[in-house]
Amino acid sequence: MSNEKDANDPPTEDPEEPEESGAGTSDPTGNSEDARDDGARAPADEGVDEPDGSGGADDPASEEETVADDPSEPDEVWDDGIVVDGPGPDGAETGSEEANGATTEGVTEANEDGGIDELGSSVEVEGAEIEEDPDEDDLLGGLKIDTTAELEIPDRLVDQVIGQEHARDVIIKAAKQRRHVMMIGSPGTGKSMLAKAMSELLPKEELQDVLVYHNPDDGNKPKVRTVPAGKGDQIVDAHREEARKRNQMRSLLMWIIIAVVLGYALIIVGQILVGIIAAGVVYLVFRYLNRGSDAMIPNLLVNNGDTKTAPFRDATGAHAGALLGDVRHDPFQSGGMETPSHDRVEAGAIHKANKGVLFIDEINTLDIRSQQHLMTAIQEGEFSITGQSERSSGAMVQTEPVPTDFVMIAAGNLDAMENMHPALRSRIKGYGYEVYMEDTIEDTPEMRRKYVRFIAQEVAKDGRLPEFSAEAIEEVILEAKRRSGRKGHLTLLFRNLGGLVRVAGDIARGEDAELTTRDHVLQAKGRSRSIEQQLADDFIERRKDYELQVSDGYVVGRVNGLAVMGEDSGIMLPVMAEVAPSQGPGEVIATGQLKEMAQESVSNVSAIIKKFSDENISEMDIHIQFVQAGQQGVDGDSASITVATAVISALENVGVDQSLAMTGSLSVRGDVLPVGGVTHKIEAAAKAGCTRVIIPQANEQDVMIEDEYEDMIEIIPVSHISEVLDIALEGETEKDSLVSRLKSITGSTLKEGSVSGPSSPSPQ
């Protein structure tokens, strides 16, 4: 059966005459259009028994399409007895405008009926009010509610998107214009949710069913036919009913012939054994014919009859067969026991996503061959199915092109672009949009109200959690502020935040509580610690056991540095320095599995040391050790001031306060630059027993430590290395001399609050 063209393609022939083309202008099977046409249409005199007068299911002539004499007739009648609305498989434009596919204006109107330009822009509250001018300290954003039960949850996913306004607008535009989208960002920022939201915005009236038919000319080249959604089941049922009737007629005829043969052998010839053998031969012949009749029933490859919205297919991590389609191996390839090739064809995600959305997360994990085939499917809008295993009998089968008119949404982290096929990215970019997903968003009353709705959405999605009280909601929003790592911002890593909501709800449910309270959220924060947090806490306890962690007194060349593990856990990492005579040219030697950025920071620190020291360090080796850095090593430059303080302490033989911890990057002129993760680092210092911590002055606004740590540790912001030495080193006379000398050499007399360097914290 010939395949349906794109519904929007203009007819290439007179609409009075039915076209006789194949599944497209390009035929990857190697068959010409004429050859496909000849295979789809058998001469009229090659028919078989048709007890009901209609074309038989195993008769190629029964697959022939007929077009009504009146070209204005909206319906097209097929020889299989099924009335198909809209365009036929040859692309004849006999259907209505809706059947041929909604135009751009039609899509826009359909979407605007649902207020597409206002989606997710407000929080609807039933039985509650929103203050006109909410207080800055009101974590609910002026929302007057007692529990999350008072909030209305939007029905559509696109209404539930929070924070990613730019990405949401792009998805809406891409849905209107059917454009591809690539979304890059951190895990848990809503990429898959936006992809599902697009499938709800695409029009449903364009959906199609795909049927695969036996090719009587070449069994290894099945034919493809597309029909409007819901018609595929009817066509298959009609063919099955026709095959059943034919089998009944043949069975009746078979038993009549067997009776005649047995009667002739017994009565006339008198050779009953010969009659039995002849009857067995007749039985086998008819059984084979019946099997051949069943084999002519088409295979419903893609069934969208029950689909309520445009298809959404998540092909993340899919192997080649699941993504591109496959043909099952047939161990019985001869002797009448083989399975017809069209019955072994399996659709891939690209075919099931036709007229819908194909979502692939971590796009760079697809192998190059799959990415190349994906490019072809995007470019051509159709892709033939063949066996993916070269050693399988399925590799001998290749169908006519199957429609793949999908909208592709590719997603991944920043590293996804490195291993992604350049041509595939070019196709997405050339026919769509690229979007970066933000990690944080500005903290405003309106956004706080949306975070309240987010909690209500998570409770509603789970279906088993108690509603959250107002105090519990406030604690979750406070945690969202902390996890952002920036003052005046909220985190957009909703998957992790949703995990906190679910753990808190589970704790409340375990206690049979009617509401999830603030105490439940506080317990959840302890129970939902990440692996990195648990490792960091265990690391700190082990160091205390073996007295590797010093938190009092003064030690020469030893400084308590701070680092982060993962994204949300801090750890104290001591740095030790020692100066020794060199046997050759002096050098700086750093150990502790330092990575590139950490090594560069050590080099920058050595520039200050060389300029600062009165001694000729070209004849000395400076050894720097990051104590128990572990196999993961040290990355980032946040230990710069720690290294500088340790080396200067060793050079001048002046002790460093061990009740003090510090973090900060350092410029070659001695300016202390901002770093990331200061909140988690401060909490780690408090857990380790330190009473003071030095941080860059530019990071002062980013500090959002838990209440329990506020009275345990003093936070000291600094802007220059001279301030660090003034605070950390022991003694007054020696220290004053060192600080004065360093200020004069670096030439930096920064005013309080001024700092040069990047405006945002650098990752650690």
Side-chain angles (χ1 to χ4, degrees):
M1 180 52 51
S2 58
N3 183 26
E4 180 184 25
K5 289 184 181 178
D6 189 338
N8 292 322
D9 288 344
T12 57
E13 297 181 326
D14 188 347
E16 297 282 351
E17 302 177 3
E19 297 181 7
E20 298 182 357
S21 61
T25 57
S26 60
D27 182 17
T29 64
N31 291 338
S32 65
E33 293 187 2
D34 293 339
R36 290 199 303 271
D37 181 68
D38 292 341
R41 301 175 183 272
D45 59 356
E46 293 182 1
V48 295
D49 297 335
E50 298 178 5
D52 61 352
S54 62
D58 59 350
D59 181 10
S62 70
E63 306 304 323
E64 179 177 340
E65 307 91 63
T66 60
V67 181
D69 293 335
D70 183 3
S72 63
E73 182 66 33
D75 294 333
E76 187 171 333
V77 182
W78 298 72
D79 281 349
D80 52 23
I82 301 300
V83 178
V84 180
D85 297 329
D90 295 324
E93 295 185 348
T94 57
S96 62
E97 179 179 341
E98 290 76 13
N100 283 326
T103 61
T104 301
E105 290 79 11
V107 176
T108 304
E109 290 174 1
N111 289 332
E112 285 179 350
D113 289 342
I116 195 168
D117 294 330
E118 299 296 331
L119 301 181
S121 60
S122 62
V123 179
E124 298 296 333
V125 183
E126 184 177 344
E129 298 179 355
I130 300 177
E131 296 181 6
E132 294 183 1
D133 188 17
D135 192 290
E136 291 184 1
D137 296 331
D138 186 358
L139 292 173
L140 300 182
L143 202 57
K144 298 181 178 179
I145 60 170
D146 294 325
T147 70
T148 50
E150 301 174 36
L151 290 177
E152 293 182 353
I153 307 300
D155 294 329
R156 295 184 296 185
L157 283 176
V158 73
D159 296 346
Q160 299 177 17
V161 176
I162 297 173
Q164 304 289 353
E165 299 300 329
H166 172 61
R168 170 184 161 274
D169 291 342
V170 167
I171 288 295
I172 293 173
K173 292 176 183 176
K176 289 181 180 179
Q177 305 297 335
R178 294 189 64 84
R179 306 296 190 202
H180 306 297
V181 180
M182 182 166 71
M183 295 185 288
I184 299 296
S186 302
T189 51
K191 296 187 288 291
S192 60
M193 184 177 180
L194 283 167
K196 291 179 181 177
M198 176 183 269
S199 67
E200 295 181 353
L201 299 177
L202 291 174
K204 177 181 180 295
E205 59 268 19
E206 291 186 358
L207 300 187
Q208 298 172 327
D209 289 344
V210 180
L211 297 156
V212 181
Y213 288 79
H214 172 68
N215 185 348
D217 289 345
D218 189 346
N220 285 330
K221 299 188 183 299
K223 294 190 170 296
V224 173
R225 170 185 175 189
T226 58
V227 296
K231 299 297 182 182
D233 273 330
Q234 300 177 31
I235 293 173
V236 172
D237 290 342
H239 279 273
R240 283 184 179 144
E241 179 63 21
E242 189 64 29
R244 186 186 64 80
K245 292 179 180 179
R246 186 176 297 103
N247 289 341
Q248 287 180 345
M249 292 293 295
R250 286 177 175 168
S251 295
L252 178 61
L253 180 61
M254 177 190 70
W255 290 116
I256 291 174
I257 294 175
I258 289 176
V260 170
V261 169
L262 289 175
Y264 179 81
L266 180 63
I267 299 173
I268 306 297
V269 180
Q271 296 289 336
I272 187 61
L273 181 60
V274 174
I276 293 174
I277 294 174
V281 171
V282 172
Y283 178 81
L284 292 176
V285 169
F286 273 89
R287 289 287 295 177
Y288 181 80
L289 292 175
N290 284 347
R291 185 185 176 283
S293 175
D294 294 339
M296 295 303 105
I297 299 175
N299 175 17
L300 184 55
L301 193 66
V302 178
N303 184 5
N304 286 317
D306 297 329
T307 305
K308 303 302 181 184
T309 61
F312 173 83
R313 297 293 173 181
D314 188 346
T316 302
H319 58 79
L323 177 65
L324 307 171
D326 205 350
V327 180
R328 296 192 305 274
H329 175 67
D330 184 11
F332 305 103
Q333 302 180 39
S334 61
M337 302 179 67
E338 69 276 4
T339 302
S341 60
H342 75 282
D343 268 345
R344 295 186 282 123
V345 176
E346 299 286 348
I350 61 174
H351 308 106
K352 295 177 182 178
N354 184 45
K355 303 299 182 182
V357 175
L358 177 69
F359 175 67
I360 304 180
D361 202 358
E362 304 301 335
I363 183 70
N364 56 310
T365 60
L366 282 181
D367 62 73
I368 294 298
R369 178 175 174 271
S370 294
Q371 292 190 45
Q372 289 173 332
H373 288 317
L374 193 56
M375 281 189 294
T376 302
I378 292 174
Q379 187 74 16
E380 302 297 332
E382 57 186 15
F383 191 82
S384 298
I385 299 176
T386 187
Q388 295 299 320
S389 173
E390 295 179 355
R391 299 182 180 181
S392 168
S393 63
M396 300 297 294
V397 178
Q398 188 172 33
T399 69
E400 290 181 344
V402 181
T404 57
D405 182 19
F406 54 80
V407 174
M408 178 175 170
I409 297 186
N413 301 328
L414 284 174
D415 61 348
M417 296 183 291
E418 298 177 4
N419 299 324
M420 186 176 177
H421 197 296
L424 177 59
R425 183 182 176 189
S426 175
R427 276 173 174 67
I428 297 175
K429 188 174 182 179
Y431 298 96
Y433 302 88
E434 290 187 341
V435 180
Y436 177 71
M437 307 290 287
E438 298 290 344
D439 290 342
T440 63
I441 193 169
E442 186 177 355
D443 183 9
T444 63
E446 180 184 1
M447 194 53 58
R448 290 181 182 181
R449 292 194 293 270
K450 291 186 178 182
Y451 272 68
V452 177
R453 191 185 70 190
F454 162 75
I455 299 171
Q457 289 172 185
E458 293 300 304
V459 172
K461 287 178 184 177
D462 190 276
R464 295 168 295 179
L465 304 180
E467 299 290 344
F468 275 58
S469 67
E471 293 76 15
I473 296 171
E474 291 176 347
E475 190 60 37
V476 174
I477 295 177
L478 271 176
E479 183 65 15
K481 292 167 64 70
R482 290 186 67 252
R483 294 187 180 187
S484 70
R486 299 174 61 188
K487 185 176 182 179
H489 283 74
L490 295 164
T491 181
L492 289 178
L493 303 181
F494 285 112
R495 183 178 296 135
N496 295 340
L497 197 63
L500 175 66
V501 171
R502 283 181 283 276
V503 172
D506 289 343
I507 294 173
R509 188 166 180 254
E511 298 177 358
D512 293 328
E514 294 183 1
L515 291 176
T516 304
T517 64
R518 179 176 181 271
D519 183 61
H520 295 138
V521 177
L522 293 176
Q523 292 182 52
K525 289 168 70 173
R527 294 188 185 182
S528 63
R529 293 179 304 160
S530 66
I531 295 296
E532 289 84 0
Q533 283 179 305
Q534 297 177 48
L535 286 173
D537 291 344
D538 183 65
F539 202 30
I540 291 172
E541 290 300 321
R542 286 176 180 270
R543 283 185 168 180
K544 287 181 179 179
D545 292 342
Y546 293 100
E547 297 183 353
L548 293 174
Q549 202 152 275
V550 182
S551 58
D552 57 3
Y554 290 86
V555 178
V556 175
R558 186 188 188 280
V559 182
N560 291 321
L562 297 171
V564 289
M565 294 178 63
E567 297 179 352
D568 55 359
S569 59
I571 189 169
M572 198 159 81
L573 189 67
V575 175
M576 293 184 180
E578 188 63 62
V579 179
S582 175
Q583 300 298 323
E587 58 180 335
V588 177
I589 303 170
T591 60
Q593 298 285 341
L594 303 189
K595 298 182 181 178
E596 185 176 354
M597 187 178 294
Q599 290 176 344
E600 291 176 355
S601 69
V602 172
S603 300
N604 291 338
V605 169
S606 67
I608 296 177
I609 297 169
K610 291 175 183 178
K611 196 170 184 179
F612 163 80
S613 178
D614 287 339
E615 302 182 29
N616 184 10
I617 62 173
S618 63
E619 298 178 356
M620 299 180 181
D621 287 336
I622 300 176
H623 294 263
I624 303 170
Q625 180 187 10
F626 288 78
V627 180
Q628 290 190 329
Q631 293 182 349
Q632 71 274 11
V634 178
D635 194 11
D637 59 351
S638 64
S640 298
I641 65 170
T642 309
V643 172
T645 304
V647 173
I648 292 172
S649 169
L651 280 171
E652 300 296 331
N653 198 31
V654 179
V656 178
D657 186 0
Q658 297 302 297
S659 67
L660 176 73
M662 62 181 69
T663 182
S665 181
L666 193 63
S667 75
V668 293
R669 293 186 55 84
D671 303 323
V672 179
L673 309 180
V675 295
V678 289
T679 297
H680 305 299
K681 292 176 180 179
I682 294 171
E683 292 179 350
K687 291 177 184 177
C690 293
T691 58
R692 296 187 300 167
V693 61
I694 293 176
I695 66 170
Q697 192 170 50
N699 285 128
E700 186 177 8
Q701 62 179 0
D702 301 327
V703 176
M704 288 173 283
I705 63 174
E706 297 279 7
D707 295 341
E708 60 183 294
Y709 300 114
E710 288 184 354
D711 297 332
M712 296 173 59
I713 195 164
E714 177 187 359
I715 301 171
I716 307 172
V718 299
S719 59
H720 191 263
I721 185 62
S722 59
E723 299 176 53
V724 177
L725 298 178
D726 191 26
I727 297 167
L729 297 183
E730 179 185 15
E732 293 297 330
T733 306
E734 297 86 350
K735 182 172 64 175
D736 291 343
S737 175
L738 289 172
V739 172
S740 300
R741 193 189 330 156
L742 186 61
K743 283 185 177 181
S744 65
I745 293 174
T746 59
S748 178
T749 54
L750 298 178
K751 296 180 180 179
E752 183 178 356
S754 65
V755 63
S756 60
S759 58
S760 60
S762 58
Q764 306 306 303

